[in-house]
Amino acid sequence: MINWPNFVSQLFNGLVLGALLALISSGLTIIYGTLGVLNLAHGAMFMLGGYAGYVAYTYTDSFILAVIAGSLFVMVAGVVMERVIIRHFYSRSDEDQLLVTFGIGIVMVEVVRFFFGSLSMNVPPPAALSGITSLGFMFYPTYRLALVGIIAVALLALFLVLYRTRIGMIVRAGIEDSVMVDSLGINVYRVFMVVFGIGAMAAGFAGIVNAPVVSLTPDMGDSILVQTFVVVVIGGVGSFPGAIIGGLIAGEIISITSMINPGYSYVMLFAAMTLVLVLRPHGLLGSQSRA
Amino acid sequence: MSLLEVHGLNSYYADSHILFDVGLHVERNEVVALIGRNGAGKSTTLKSLMGVVRPRSGQIVLDGVNVAGKASHAVAHAGMQLVHEDRRIFGSLNVEENLVLAGLTADNKWPLDRIYEMFPRLRERKGSRGTDLSGGEQQMLAIARALIRDPKIVLLDEPFEGLAPVIVRDLMKACRDLAAEGQTIVLVEQNLAATLALAQRVYIINNGHIVHEGRAADIKAQPEVLHRYLGV
């Protein structure tokens, strides 16, 4: 039943989901914008971050160490994946790139299933952030509120790296024209490796910080992958601000529609994407450089 | 020994053979022009020298180092810079960021003040994003971005194309000043008058083959050569 408290609660849920999608999509969009590779393993990396953090949590009982371990593990996995496999596909067709990243994603999922099984795992929130918080007009899970703040800090850190550092300047230039970056004496393949590592780390970080609000399963990255692709299209390929705006829009669409009829949440999401493509073919904040 | 020696260069786009055993040499402090009709292979030659197009065979020896087949960043480190025909300015970066980025990995880079002395307009627009620049300003920035790396040799691909005469005059002066300072330049340009005014020596390329080489002054006096290969 739709009432005011339910609606506000769903708005908050949409904000949490939107922030999460924004973070994951940021990684996906800078990878595609810079390397030109559509990484279909990105959802699996999100899942991998959750599981790597789960393992770290199991051994240390520390949520902070779990977040660090989950993020770093996926970053290293991303760098290895780029060095060993992806770099051989830069000059290959889009179809080959899609197939190889799709295959890598399947391998990641099945390796996790082999070690952990298909049953769901749980990572509890840190004690200080467990329970519920009164917002005056409603009660809301404390960790979900904190999650918005945690992701906002992560997005701010990513923003500062991209817009206030030299490596960020190189990445932004690479998103526009990686050939020109190479012509200016900057080893663009090293840049690709760094970008892949940053993008993977963003997905891994999202996977572990989101773990306390979901159950970890090997397939959990599948639906997230679809949603993040929509976010990237809505926001504009290669656009970091676009990923944030697209993420928030997608999160609210899914959440609000679910309140009325969950079966239509994806319908509305794709309808929004279609509308954006019709009105702005390069996305809300995208450019033509990688279109 | 020449600063740049090219022997038997063959380049392809997919299965299309574009350059056929191209050979040329450029001395230090020399301005050499490469002229020819549209589609003759001028830009492909420059891109092949820079490593943007990887030649299938041939030698490109820059200051004693064979850079044929190497990636562009390695060719840039060897001392070559290409100013692309379409300028390829980073639109999301401002003028100064474009310049800083270009100099990041240079061993001996020009101070920004030296760049701004050569192109005062860039100092005025240093905070402007690349997308907000006029065509002439973008071309100045493209040339400045190459120069900031203090290259041994600069390849200019159609630097005056599509620009207003007053901008062409300014860029011509900049090129003349550079040449007077001893900068080695390879110039590809459709504007024949400007080309022959700047270059000391000229190669004519036709259908991917170097078909003529001579001093610019001599070419001017050979209208039949210009007519045969350029149709002018």
Side-chain angles (χ1 to χ4, degrees), chain B residues 89 94-99 110 112-130 133-148 171 174:
Chain B
I89 298 300
N94 66 32
V95 167
E96 193 143 308
E97 285 175 328
N98 267 277
L99 293 169
W110 285 24
L112 279 172
D113 279 343
R114 188 175 171 196
I115 292 288
Y116 290 144
E117 269 172 37
M118 177 164 272
F119 299 108
R121 184 70 185 144
L122 294 183
R123 189 196 299 274
E124 295 167 22
R125 302 297 311 267
K126 66 181 179 183
S128 302
R129 284 158 58 109
L133 301 179
S134 69
E137 288 166 346
Q138 285 194 356
Q139 190 62 61
M140 288 175 198
L141 180 55
I143 294 172
R145 208 171 49 176
L147 292 175
I148 202 166
L171 287 173

mmCIF file of all heavy atoms in Angstrom, chain B residues 89 94-99 110 112-130 133-148 171 174:
data_model
loop_
_atom_site.group_PDB
_atom_site.id
_atom_site.type_symbol
_atom_site.label_atom_id
_atom_site.label_comp_id
_atom_site.label_asym_id
_atom_site.label_seq_id
_atom_site.Cartn_x
_atom_site.Cartn_y
_atom_site.Cartn_z
ATOM 1 N N ILE B 89 42.995 18.125 -29.685
ATOM 2 C CA ILE B 89 43.094 18.803 -28.397
ATOM 3 C C ILE B 89 42.189 18.090 -27.394
ATOM 4 O O ILE B 89 41.120 17.628 -27.747
ATOM 5 C CB ILE B 89 42.630 20.277 -28.551
ATOM 6 C CG1 ILE B 89 43.538 21.030 -29.526
ATOM 7 C CG2 ILE B 89 42.560 20.988 -27.201
ATOM 8 C CD1 ILE B 89 44.980 21.088 -29.115
ATOM 9 N N ASN B 94 41.867 22.249 -19.772
ATOM 10 C CA ASN B 94 42.097 23.620 -20.223
ATOM 11 C C ASN B 94 43.454 23.718 -20.940
ATOM 12 O O ASN B 94 44.203 22.728 -21.029
ATOM 13 C CB ASN B 94 41.953 24.617 -19.069
ATOM 14 C CG ASN B 94 43.021 24.446 -18.000
ATOM 15 O OD1 ASN B 94 44.145 24.058 -18.302
ATOM 16 N ND2 ASN B 94 42.671 24.735 -16.752
ATOM 17 N N VAL B 95 43.734 24.907 -21.436
ATOM 18 C CA VAL B 95 44.945 25.094 -22.246
ATOM 19 C C VAL B 95 46.188 24.696 -21.448
ATOM 20 O O VAL B 95 47.053 23.951 -21.938
ATOM 21 C CB VAL B 95 45.046 26.572 -22.699
ATOM 22 C CG1 VAL B 95 46.424 26.876 -23.264
ATOM 23 C CG2 VAL B 95 43.961 26.871 -23.739
ATOM 24 N N GLU B 96 46.283 25.181 -20.230
ATOM 25 C CA GLU B 96 47.489 24.897 -19.450
ATOM 26 C C GLU B 96 47.594 23.409 -19.110
ATOM 27 O O GLU B 96 48.685 22.839 -19.120
ATOM 28 C CB GLU B 96 47.508 25.747 -18.180
ATOM 29 C CG GLU B 96 48.864 25.743 -17.500
ATOM 30 C CD GLU B 96 49.224 27.091 -16.895
ATOM 31 O OE1 GLU B 96 49.160 28.106 -17.617
ATOM 32 O OE2 GLU B 96 49.560 27.127 -15.716
ATOM 33 N N GLU B 97 46.444 22.773 -18.825
ATOM 34 C CA GLU B 97 46.476 21.330 -18.538
ATOM 35 C C GLU B 97 46.932 20.549 -19.770
ATOM 36 O O GLU B 97 47.686 19.574 -19.651
ATOM 37 C CB GLU B 97 45.096 20.855 -18.096
ATOM 38 C CG GLU B 97 44.727 21.260 -16.675
ATOM 39 C CD GLU B 97 43.307 20.891 -16.295
ATOM 40 O OE1 GLU B 97 42.422 20.900 -17.179
ATOM 41 O OE2 GLU B 97 43.065 20.627 -15.111
ATOM 42 N N ASN B 98 46.474 20.961 -20.949
ATOM 43 C CA ASN B 98 46.949 20.313 -22.182
ATOM 44 C C ASN B 98 48.466 20.392 -22.284
ATOM 45 O O ASN B 98 49.137 19.422 -22.646
ATOM 46 C CB ASN B 98 46.319 20.991 -23.401
ATOM 47 C CG ASN B 98 45.026 20.328 -23.870
ATOM 48 O OD1 ASN B 98 45.058 19.346 -24.603
ATOM 49 N ND2 ASN B 98 43.891 20.864 -23.440
ATOM 50 N N LEU B 99 49.007 21.569 -21.947
ATOM 51 C CA LEU B 99 50.454 21.763 -22.055
ATOM 52 C C LEU B 99 51.206 20.973 -20.977
ATOM 53 O O LEU B 99 52.222 20.334 -21.259
ATOM 54 C CB LEU B 99 50.790 23.260 -21.944
ATOM 55 C CG LEU B 99 50.292 24.124 -23.113
ATOM 56 C CD1 LEU B 99 50.420 25.612 -22.787
ATOM 57 C CD2 LEU B 99 51.061 23.798 -24.389
ATOM 58 N N TRP B 110 60.165 22.670 -22.468
ATOM 59 C CA TRP B 110 60.161 24.127 -22.520
ATOM 60 C C TRP B 110 59.419 24.669 -21.296
ATOM 61 O O TRP B 110 58.378 24.112 -20.919
ATOM 62 C CB TRP B 110 59.412 24.623 -23.751
ATOM 63 C CG TRP B 110 60.111 24.503 -25.051
ATOM 64 C CD1 TRP B 110 61.104 23.631 -25.380
ATOM 65 C CD2 TRP B 110 59.859 25.289 -26.220
ATOM 66 N NE1 TRP B 110 61.465 23.808 -26.683
ATOM 67 C CE2 TRP B 110 60.722 24.826 -27.215
ATOM 68 C CE3 TRP B 110 58.987 26.315 -26.517
ATOM 69 C CZ2 TRP B 110 60.743 25.365 -28.495
ATOM 70 C CZ3 TRP B 110 58.989 26.858 -27.786
ATOM 71 C CH2 TRP B 110 59.871 26.395 -28.756
ATOM 72 N N LEU B 112 56.743 26.995 -19.525
ATOM 73 C CA LEU B 112 55.468 27.499 -20.055
ATOM 74 C C LEU B 112 55.610 28.928 -20.582
ATOM 75 O O LEU B 112 54.990 29.300 -21.582
ATOM 76 C CB LEU B 112 54.395 27.457 -18.971
ATOM 77 C CG LEU B 112 53.735 26.091 -18.736
ATOM 78 C CD1 LEU B 112 52.834 26.144 -17.510
ATOM 79 C CD2 LEU B 112 52.954 25.649 -19.953
ATOM 80 N N ASP B 113 56.466 29.736 -19.901
ATOM 81 C CA ASP B 113 56.633 31.130 -20.340
ATOM 82 C C ASP B 113 57.153 31.199 -21.775
ATOM 83 O O ASP B 113 56.806 32.099 -22.527
ATOM 84 C CB ASP B 113 57.594 31.875 -19.397
ATOM 85 C CG ASP B 113 56.862 32.329 -18.136
ATOM 86 O OD1 ASP B 113 55.617 32.356 -18.158
ATOM 87 O OD2 ASP B 113 57.546 32.634 -17.135
ATOM 88 N N ARG B 114 58.021 30.270 -22.127
ATOM 89 C CA ARG B 114 58.560 30.275 -23.498
ATOM 90 C C ARG B 114 57.453 29.973 -24.510
ATOM 91 O O ARG B 114 57.397 30.571 -25.588
ATOM 92 C CB ARG B 114 59.689 29.241 -23.614
ATOM 93 C CG ARG B 114 60.431 29.316 -24.927
ATOM 94 C CD ARG B 114 61.606 28.375 -24.963
ATOM 95 N NE ARG B 114 62.173 28.316 -26.307
ATOM 96 C CZ ARG B 114 63.006 27.379 -26.721
ATOM 97 N NH1 ARG B 114 63.399 26.435 -25.886
ATOM 98 N NH2 ARG B 114 63.462 27.392 -27.953
ATOM 99 N N ILE B 115 56.586 29.039 -24.120
ATOM 100 C CA ILE B 115 55.432 28.724 -24.979
ATOM 101 C C ILE B 115 54.546 29.955 -25.129
ATOM 102 O O ILE B 115 54.118 30.311 -26.239
ATOM 103 C CB ILE B 115 54.615 27.560 -24.362
ATOM 104 C CG1 ILE B 115 55.394 26.249 -24.410
ATOM 105 C CG2 ILE B 115 53.252 27.417 -25.055
ATOM 106 C CD1 ILE B 115 55.536 25.626 -25.764
ATOM 107 N N TYR B 116 54.278 30.609 -23.996
ATOM 108 C CA TYR B 116 53.373 31.754 -24.026
ATOM 109 C C TYR B 116 53.996 32.955 -24.752
ATOM 110 O O TYR B 116 53.274 33.795 -25.282
ATOM 111 C CB TYR B 116 52.973 32.145 -22.600
ATOM 112 C CG TYR B 116 52.064 31.136 -21.919
ATOM 113 C CD1 TYR B 116 52.169 30.879 -20.555
ATOM 114 C CD2 TYR B 116 51.090 30.437 -22.640
ATOM 115 C CE1 TYR B 116 51.334 29.959 -19.931
ATOM 116 C CE2 TYR B 116 50.272 29.510 -22.029
ATOM 117 C CZ TYR B 116 50.398 29.275 -20.675
ATOM 118 O OH TYR B 116 49.571 28.363 -20.066
ATOM 119 N N GLU B 117 55.331 33.024 -24.761
ATOM 120 C CA GLU B 117 55.974 34.085 -25.547
ATOM 121 C C GLU B 117 55.757 33.849 -27.034
ATOM 122 O O GLU B 117 55.541 34.781 -27.812
ATOM 123 C CB GLU B 117 57.490 34.103 -25.270
ATOM 124 C CG GLU B 117 57.878 35.029 -24.126
ATOM 125 C CD GLU B 117 59.339 34.866 -23.765
ATOM 126 O OE1 GLU B 117 60.173 34.659 -24.677
ATOM 127 O OE2 GLU B 117 59.638 34.908 -22.554
ATOM 128 N N MET B 118 55.828 32.590 -27.421
ATOM 129 C CA MET B 118 55.637 32.271 -28.837
ATOM 130 C C MET B 118 54.170 32.420 -29.242
ATOM 131 O O MET B 118 53.869 32.878 -30.348
ATOM 132 C CB MET B 118 56.122 30.847 -29.110
ATOM 133 C CG MET B 118 55.895 30.387 -30.528
ATOM 134 S SD MET B 118 56.857 28.940 -30.932
ATOM 135 C CE MET B 118 58.373 29.686 -31.485
ATOM 136 N N PHE B 119 53.275 32.032 -28.330
ATOM 137 C CA PHE B 119 51.835 32.132 -28.623
ATOM 138 C C PHE B 119 51.151 32.915 -27.495
ATOM 139 O O PHE B 119 50.544 32.304 -26.589
ATOM 140 C CB PHE B 119 51.210 30.742 -28.736
ATOM 141 C CG PHE B 119 51.786 29.878 -29.824
ATOM 142 C CD1 PHE B 119 52.592 28.796 -29.523
ATOM 143 C CD2 PHE B 119 51.514 30.156 -31.163
ATOM 144 C CE1 PHE B 119 53.118 27.995 -30.527
ATOM 145 C CE2 PHE B 119 52.039 29.355 -32.177
ATOM 146 C CZ PHE B 119 52.851 28.284 -31.851
ATOM 147 N N PRO B 120 51.237 34.252 -27.522
ATOM 148 C CA PRO B 120 50.644 35.052 -26.434
ATOM 149 C C PRO B 120 49.148 34.789 -26.253
ATOM 150 O O PRO B 120 48.631 34.906 -25.147
ATOM 151 C CB PRO B 120 50.886 36.502 -26.892
ATOM 152 C CG PRO B 120 51.999 36.422 -27.871
ATOM 153 C CD PRO B 120 51.892 35.087 -28.531
ATOM 154 N N ARG B 121 48.496 34.419 -27.340
ATOM 155 C CA ARG B 121 47.055 34.159 -27.254
ATOM 156 C C ARG B 121 46.760 33.007 -26.282
ATOM 157 O O ARG B 121 45.727 32.994 -25.615
ATOM 158 C CB ARG B 121 46.526 33.826 -28.657
ATOM 159 C CG ARG B 121 45.042 33.633 -28.748
ATOM 160 C CD ARG B 121 44.292 34.934 -28.566
ATOM 161 N NE ARG B 121 42.851 34.715 -28.550
ATOM 162 C CZ ARG B 121 41.999 35.381 -27.797
ATOM 163 N NH1 ARG B 121 42.433 36.337 -26.995
ATOM 164 N NH2 ARG B 121 40.718 35.128 -27.850
ATOM 165 N N LEU B 122 47.673 32.038 -26.223
ATOM 166 C CA LEU B 122 47.459 30.897 -25.325
ATOM 167 C C LEU B 122 47.554 31.322 -23.862
ATOM 168 O O LEU B 122 46.873 30.765 -22.998
ATOM 169 C CB LEU B 122 48.467 29.782 -25.615
ATOM 170 C CG LEU B 122 48.335 29.093 -26.975
ATOM 171 C CD1 LEU B 122 49.350 27.959 -27.097
ATOM 172 C CD2 LEU B 122 46.920 28.547 -27.186
ATOM 173 N N ARG B 123 48.408 32.311 -23.572
ATOM 174 C CA ARG B 123 48.475 32.810 -22.191
ATOM 175 C C ARG B 123 47.123 33.421 -21.798
ATOM 176 O O ARG B 123 46.626 33.182 -20.700
ATOM 177 C CB ARG B 123 49.587 33.848 -22.050
ATOM 178 C CG ARG B 123 49.844 34.246 -20.587
ATOM 179 C CD ARG B 123 50.649 35.535 -20.485
ATOM 180 N NE ARG B 123 51.962 35.455 -21.097
ATOM 181 C CZ ARG B 123 53.060 34.996 -20.478
ATOM 182 N NH1 ARG B 123 52.976 34.582 -19.244
ATOM 183 N NH2 ARG B 123 54.215 34.971 -21.103
ATOM 184 N N GLU B 124 46.555 34.179 -22.757
ATOM 185 C CA GLU B 124 45.250 34.815 -22.468
ATOM 186 C C GLU B 124 44.160 33.770 -22.257
ATOM 187 O O GLU B 124 43.225 33.988 -21.502
ATOM 188 C CB GLU B 124 44.839 35.730 -23.637
ATOM 189 C CG GLU B 124 45.756 36.926 -23.846
ATOM 190 C CD GLU B 124 45.488 37.593 -25.196
ATOM 191 O OE1 GLU B 124 44.384 37.419 -25.747
ATOM 192 O OE2 GLU B 124 46.399 38.274 -25.700
ATOM 193 N N ARG B 125 44.304 32.630 -22.935
ATOM 194 C CA ARG B 125 43.238 31.611 -22.867
ATOM 195 C C ARG B 125 43.634 30.416 -22.013
ATOM 196 O O ARG B 125 43.016 29.351 -22.124
ATOM 197 C CB ARG B 125 42.903 31.106 -24.286
ATOM 198 C CG ARG B 125 42.461 32.140 -25.293
ATOM 199 C CD ARG B 125 41.162 32.843 -24.944
ATOM 200 N NE ARG B 125 40.060 31.961 -24.565
ATOM 201 C CZ ARG B 125 39.145 31.501 -25.412
ATOM 202 N NH1 ARG B 125 39.188 31.836 -26.670
ATOM 203 N NH2 ARG B 125 38.172 30.722 -24.992
ATOM 204 N N LYS B 126 44.652 30.563 -21.150
ATOM 205 C CA LYS B 126 45.210 29.380 -20.486
ATOM 206 C C LYS B 126 44.213 28.651 -19.590
ATOM 207 O O LYS B 126 44.372 27.468 -19.324
ATOM 208 C CB LYS B 126 46.473 29.726 -19.705
ATOM 209 C CG LYS B 126 46.285 30.638 -18.515
ATOM 210 C CD LYS B 126 47.638 30.887 -17.867
ATOM 211 C CE LYS B 126 47.493 31.821 -16.665
ATOM 212 N NZ LYS B 126 48.808 32.113 -16.083
ATOM 213 N N GLY B 127 43.178 29.363 -19.112
ATOM 214 C CA GLY B 127 42.177 28.701 -18.277
ATOM 215 C C GLY B 127 40.989 28.175 -19.058
ATOM 216 O O GLY B 127 40.086 27.565 -18.480
ATOM 217 N N SER B 128 40.996 28.387 -20.382
ATOM 218 C CA SER B 128 39.853 27.963 -21.204
ATOM 219 C C SER B 128 39.964 26.493 -21.577
ATOM 220 O O SER B 128 41.056 25.990 -21.869
ATOM 221 C CB SER B 128 39.777 28.791 -22.488
ATOM 222 O OG SER B 128 39.667 30.149 -22.188
ATOM 223 N N ARG B 129 38.829 25.824 -21.572
ATOM 224 C CA ARG B 129 38.824 24.415 -21.986
ATOM 225 C C ARG B 129 39.075 24.305 -23.484
ATOM 226 O O ARG B 129 38.750 25.210 -24.253
ATOM 227 C CB ARG B 129 37.478 23.776 -21.656
ATOM 228 C CG ARG B 129 37.305 23.444 -20.172
ATOM 229 C CD ARG B 129 35.861 23.323 -19.790
ATOM 230 N NE ARG B 129 35.165 22.322 -20.559
ATOM 231 C CZ ARG B 129 34.748 21.147 -20.080
ATOM 232 N NH1 ARG B 129 34.979 20.845 -18.835
ATOM 233 N NH2 ARG B 129 34.104 20.294 -20.837
ATOM 234 N N GLY B 130 39.661 23.177 -23.870
ATOM 235 C CA GLY B 130 40.003 22.968 -25.268
ATOM 236 C C GLY B 130 38.824 23.126 -26.210
ATOM 237 O O GLY B 130 38.962 23.646 -27.324
ATOM 238 N N LEU B 133 38.035 26.763 -27.485
ATOM 239 C CA LEU B 133 39.008 27.504 -28.298
ATOM 240 C C LEU B 133 38.545 27.575 -29.749
ATOM 241 O O LEU B 133 37.858 26.682 -30.249
ATOM 242 C CB LEU B 133 40.378 26.816 -28.244
ATOM 243 C CG LEU B 133 41.015 26.646 -26.867
ATOM 244 C CD1 LEU B 133 42.353 25.931 -27.011
ATOM 245 C CD2 LEU B 133 41.214 27.987 -26.172
ATOM 246 N N SER B 134 38.980 28.645 -30.436
ATOM 247 C CA SER B 134 38.720 28.739 -31.879
ATOM 248 C C SER B 134 39.654 27.765 -32.607
ATOM 249 O O SER B 134 40.595 27.222 -32.008
ATOM 250 C CB SER B 134 38.983 30.159 -32.351
ATOM 251 O OG SER B 134 40.371 30.429 -32.278
ATOM 252 N N GLY B 135 39.400 27.577 -33.895
ATOM 253 C CA GLY B 135 40.249 26.678 -34.675
ATOM 254 C C GLY B 135 41.709 27.109 -34.656
ATOM 255 O O GLY B 135 42.624 26.283 -34.513
ATOM 256 N N GLY B 136 41.943 28.410 -34.784
ATOM 257 C CA GLY B 136 43.316 28.925 -34.776
ATOM 258 C C GLY B 136 43.980 28.715 -33.434
ATOM 259 O O GLY B 136 45.160 28.319 -33.364
ATOM 260 N N GLU B 137 43.212 28.954 -32.365
ATOM 261 C CA GLU B 137 43.790 28.762 -31.020
ATOM 262 C C GLU B 137 44.085 27.285 -30.778
ATOM 263 O O GLU B 137 45.101 26.937 -30.175
ATOM 264 C CB GLU B 137 42.800 29.287 -29.975
ATOM 265 C CG GLU B 137 42.701 30.809 -29.970
ATOM 266 C CD GLU B 137 41.487 31.331 -29.201
ATOM 267 O OE1 GLU B 137 40.573 30.542 -28.900
ATOM 268 O OE2 GLU B 137 41.445 32.537 -28.924
ATOM 269 N N GLN B 138 43.195 26.431 -31.267
ATOM 270 C CA GLN B 138 43.449 24.991 -31.115
ATOM 271 C C GLN B 138 44.719 24.582 -31.859
ATOM 272 O O GLN B 138 45.510 23.767 -31.371
ATOM 273 C CB GLN B 138 42.258 24.189 -31.654
ATOM 274 C CG GLN B 138 41.052 24.213 -30.739
ATOM 275 C CD GLN B 138 40.018 23.157 -31.099
ATOM 276 O OE1 GLN B 138 40.177 22.445 -32.086
ATOM 277 N NE2 GLN B 138 38.970 23.073 -30.311
ATOM 278 N N GLN B 139 44.931 25.168 -33.034
ATOM 279 C CA GLN B 139 46.128 24.814 -33.798
ATOM 280 C C GLN B 139 47.383 25.307 -33.084
ATOM 281 O O GLN B 139 48.398 24.607 -33.036
ATOM 282 C CB GLN B 139 46.047 25.409 -35.204
ATOM 283 C CG GLN B 139 47.123 24.891 -36.144
ATOM 284 C CD GLN B 139 47.018 23.387 -36.375
ATOM 285 O OE1 GLN B 139 46.027 22.900 -36.880
ATOM 286 N NE2 GLN B 139 48.034 22.643 -35.979
ATOM 287 N N MET B 140 47.302 26.526 -32.528
ATOM 288 C CA MET B 140 48.442 27.030 -31.738
ATOM 289 C C MET B 140 48.733 26.085 -30.577
ATOM 290 O O MET B 140 49.891 25.763 -30.302
ATOM 291 C CB MET B 140 48.113 28.425 -31.167
ATOM 292 C CG MET B 140 48.090 29.538 -32.184
ATOM 293 S SD MET B 140 47.545 31.070 -31.388
ATOM 294 C CE MET B 140 47.076 32.015 -32.838
ATOM 295 N N LEU B 141 47.661 25.650 -29.904
ATOM 296 C CA LEU B 141 47.846 24.756 -28.754
ATOM 297 C C LEU B 141 48.421 23.413 -29.197
ATOM 298 O O LEU B 141 49.295 22.853 -28.515
ATOM 299 C CB LEU B 141 46.501 24.560 -28.036
ATOM 300 C CG LEU B 141 46.509 23.643 -26.816
ATOM 301 C CD1 LEU B 141 47.539 24.091 -25.780
ATOM 302 C CD2 LEU B 141 45.116 23.588 -26.170
ATOM 303 N N ALA B 142 47.962 22.919 -30.343
ATOM 304 C CA ALA B 142 48.474 21.635 -30.842
ATOM 305 C C ALA B 142 49.980 21.732 -31.120
ATOM 306 O O ALA B 142 50.753 20.823 -30.782
ATOM 307 C CB ALA B 142 47.716 21.223 -32.100
ATOM 308 N N ILE B 143 50.396 22.840 -31.717
ATOM 309 C CA ILE B 143 51.826 23.025 -32.008
ATOM 310 C C ILE B 143 52.598 23.226 -30.696
ATOM 311 O O ILE B 143 53.665 22.637 -30.477
ATOM 312 C CB ILE B 143 52.031 24.218 -32.963
ATOM 313 C CG1 ILE B 143 51.412 23.914 -34.330
ATOM 314 C CG2 ILE B 143 53.519 24.537 -33.119
ATOM 315 C CD1 ILE B 143 51.396 25.093 -35.295
ATOM 316 N N ALA B 144 52.018 24.053 -29.806
ATOM 317 C CA ALA B 144 52.681 24.315 -28.523
ATOM 318 C C ALA B 144 52.845 23.030 -27.725
ATOM 319 O O ALA B 144 53.872 22.805 -27.080
ATOM 320 C CB ALA B 144 51.857 25.324 -27.724
ATOM 321 N N ARG B 145 51.830 22.175 -27.788
ATOM 322 C CA ARG B 145 51.862 20.912 -27.046
ATOM 323 C C ARG B 145 52.989 20.010 -27.548
ATOM 324 O O ARG B 145 53.598 19.258 -26.781
ATOM 325 C CB ARG B 145 50.507 20.217 -27.230
ATOM 326 C CG ARG B 145 50.089 19.329 -26.127
ATOM 327 C CD ARG B 145 48.667 18.872 -26.286
ATOM 328 N NE ARG B 145 48.361 18.355 -27.614
ATOM 329 C CZ ARG B 145 47.194 17.826 -27.959
ATOM 330 N NH1 ARG B 145 46.220 17.764 -27.077
ATOM 331 N NH2 ARG B 145 46.977 17.380 -29.173
ATOM 332 N N ALA B 146 53.263 20.107 -28.841
ATOM 333 C CA ALA B 146 54.384 19.331 -29.386
ATOM 334 C C ALA B 146 55.717 19.958 -28.973
ATOM 335 O O ALA B 146 56.660 19.255 -28.588
ATOM 336 C CB ALA B 146 54.284 19.268 -30.913
ATOM 337 N N LEU B 147 55.776 21.282 -29.020
ATOM 338 C CA LEU B 147 57.048 21.965 -28.749
ATOM 339 C C LEU B 147 57.471 21.860 -27.292
ATOM 340 O O LEU B 147 58.672 21.870 -26.989
ATOM 341 C CB LEU B 147 56.935 23.446 -29.126
ATOM 342 C CG LEU B 147 56.794 23.736 -30.618
ATOM 343 C CD1 LEU B 147 56.573 25.222 -30.848
ATOM 344 C CD2 LEU B 147 58.045 23.260 -31.375
ATOM 345 N N ILE B 148 56.507 21.771 -26.373
ATOM 346 C CA ILE B 148 56.853 21.790 -24.952
ATOM 347 C C ILE B 148 57.751 20.601 -24.593
ATOM 348 O O ILE B 148 58.493 20.646 -23.618
ATOM 349 C CB ILE B 148 55.580 21.822 -24.074
ATOM 350 C CG1 ILE B 148 55.930 22.373 -22.690
ATOM 351 C CG2 ILE B 148 54.922 20.461 -23.969
ATOM 352 C CD1 ILE B 148 54.729 22.768 -21.858
ATOM 353 N N LEU B 171 50.686 31.810 -37.731
ATOM 354 C CA LEU B 171 51.289 30.476 -37.602
ATOM 355 C C LEU B 171 52.513 30.345 -38.500
ATOM 356 O O LEU B 171 53.505 29.700 -38.132
ATOM 357 C CB LEU B 171 50.267 29.390 -37.932
ATOM 358 C CG LEU B 171 49.175 29.163 -36.874
ATOM 359 C CD1 LEU B 171 48.125 28.183 -37.390
ATOM 360 C CD2 LEU B 171 49.789 28.619 -35.587
ATOM 361 N N ALA B 174 55.275 31.894 -36.689
ATOM 362 C CA ALA B 174 55.746 31.003 -35.618
ATOM 363 C C ALA B 174 56.639 29.907 -36.200
ATOM 364 O O ALA B 174 57.689 29.577 -35.634
ATOM 365 C CB ALA B 174 54.553 30.401 -34.892
#
